[in-house]
Amino acid sequence: MSVSLALVVVLVVPLACGGVAYLTYRHPTLEAPLTIALTTLTALAAVMAAAAAVIALLRR
């Protein structure tokens, strides 16, 4: 379970960052809302990674 969650985080976060970078480049007026969205996404990814680490430690 935790390996698949980590794999999803590793794949989704860079794709999301690339999408945000592209949209910010093409539409500069979206920079502020996309920065907020990216910050939220990063915080969510950190919480998910921490939860996966805790679950992996508790199942040992």
Side-chain angles (χ1 to χ4, degrees):
M1 175 70 178
S2 62
V3 173
S4 61
L5 179 62
L7 185 60
V8 167
V9 170
V10 167
L11 292 175
V12 168
V13 170
L15 288 173
C17 290
V20 168
Y22 176 75
L23 284 175
T24 302
Y25 173 74
R26 297 290 288 165
H27 305 284
T29 57
L30 294 177
E31 185 173 358
L34 288 176
T35 301
I36 293 169
L38 181 60
T39 303
T40 304
L41 178 66
T42 304
L44 180 61
V47 168
M48 289 172 54
V54 169
I55 290 171
L57 286 174
L58 292 176
R59 289 191 177 193
R60 292 185 97 194

